[in-house]
Amino acid sequence: MDDDPATRGMSISYLASRQCLSLGVTHADAARHLKRGPFSLVVVDARATDDDGAEMLRSIRAQSEVPVILVVGQHYTVLDRIVSLELGADDVLCAPLNLRELLARVRATLRRHEAGRRDAAPGFQGGYRFDGWVLDQRSRTLTNPAGRTVDVTKTEYALLLALLGTPGRPLARAQLMRATRAHEDIHDRTIDAQVMRLRRKIEADPSSPKLIRTGRGAGYILDAWVEAIF
């Protein structure tokens, strides 16, 4: 949330280009949007506020436990940072705003919260959201960006689940074999065929895949920002 349209638009465009679905709102509209949520994370630009975002933090924490990153001015002191963290900020980012650092802090904050939720409920299986798709482990269903369920086989489900667990990192064919062996009698020579079938279901153009890429001599890589949902 930011009251400067130019800064807000630039940040939203950058995050969207890095596969982070984002919404830019003014401070005045923040409470209304939070009620309509849910949101995975909120970035508050406090540089235009008189109280360095303190009132906004109190307002957010009164209605939500959503992770919050506070963007503050150069005048911010160590004591100010401590107060912000005590008021409920999960991280504080000082100006000048570097969009690459903002993205890194967003991802780090989300990882911490997702790990915390898993530790709090170790037996609970949620799901993953990626590039508009949702894989729900509770119902074992895959939903496309339009909200329609896409049928997948047990092997395709296991392959996708394994790839979602390591986004951006290659999984060797041997690792994918282990991930699917419990579901079907699958061999190394069939992994490529199974990946091709999965691509036909989730890729806009299976002949030129953007989500499941082939790693050079290293199996396959899921190239998407993945959010764990619970």
Side-chain angles (χ1 to χ4, degrees):
M1 55 190 70
D2 189 330
D3 286 339
D4 179 9
T7 301
R8 188 168 66 242
M10 180 176 61
S11 301
I12 293 301
S13 296
Y14 182 84
L15 292 172
S17 71
R18 269 64 180 179
Q19 301 173 328
C20 292
L21 183 62
S22 306
L23 174 68
V25 301
T26 64
H27 293 156
D29 287 336
R32 177 172 58 87
H33 283 281
L34 281 173
K35 289 179 181 178
R36 294 173 58 185
F39 291 93
S40 299
L41 182 140
V42 174
V43 178
V44 176
D45 192 334
R47 290 173 291 179
T49 63
D50 295 330
D51 60 358
D52 290 326
E55 188 58 37
M56 183 61 64
L57 283 171
R58 292 189 185 97
S59 175
I60 292 173
R61 283 293 164 255
Q63 60 180 305
S64 174
E65 291 300 318
V66 64
V68 177
I69 296 178
L70 192 67
V71 180
V72 297
Q74 292 179 318
H75 68 281
Y76 222 65
T77 67
V78 173
L79 180 59
D80 292 329
R81 186 188 299 265
I82 292 171
V83 171
S84 295
L85 294 172
E86 290 177 341
L87 287 174
D90 293 85
D91 197 359
V92 179
L93 179 60
C94 293
L97 182 63
N98 182 290
L99 293 178
R100 185 174 179 181
E101 182 182 3
L102 173 63
L103 177 63
R105 287 178 181 264
V106 165
R107 289 176 170 172
T109 301
L110 287 173
R111 284 196 300 270
R112 289 196 300 270
H113 276 258
E114 288 159 9
R117 285 195 291 262
R118 286 194 296 268
D119 292 342
F124 183 77
Q125 288 186 321
Y128 295 97
R129 183 182 292 115
F130 65 102
D131 202 43
W133 291 78
V134 174
L135 183 73
D136 191 328
Q137 294 187 80
R138 296 163 296 186
S139 59
R140 298 179 68 85
T141 56
L142 178 65
T143 306
N144 68 17
R148 292 189 293 271
T149 300
V150 175
D151 291 331
V152 290
T153 66
K154 290 181 179 180
T155 299
E156 291 164 353
Y157 175 88
L159 282 172
L160 183 56
L161 189 61
L163 290 165
L164 286 168
T166 57
R169 300 196 301 273
L171 277 181
R173 288 173 176 81
Q175 292 173 295
L176 293 174
M177 284 177 59
R178 289 193 293 271
T180 57
R181 186 170 294 160
H183 302 279
E184 290 184 13
D185 182 18
I186 190 168
H187 304 284
D188 180 51
R189 65 180 180 275
T190 66
I191 286 291
D192 294 340
Q194 295 290 346
V195 170
M196 178 58 69
R197 293 190 184 100
L198 182 58
R199 280 172 170 166
R200 289 171 184 157
K201 296 181 178 181
I202 70 171
E203 295 280 3
D205 180 5
S207 64
S208 181
K210 304 297 184 183
L211 288 174
I212 303 178
R213 296 191 295 103
T214 303
R216 294 182 180 178
Y220 295 96
I221 304 168
L222 185 77
D223 190 6
W225 167 242
V226 177
E227 176 192 356
I229 54 178
F230 297 87

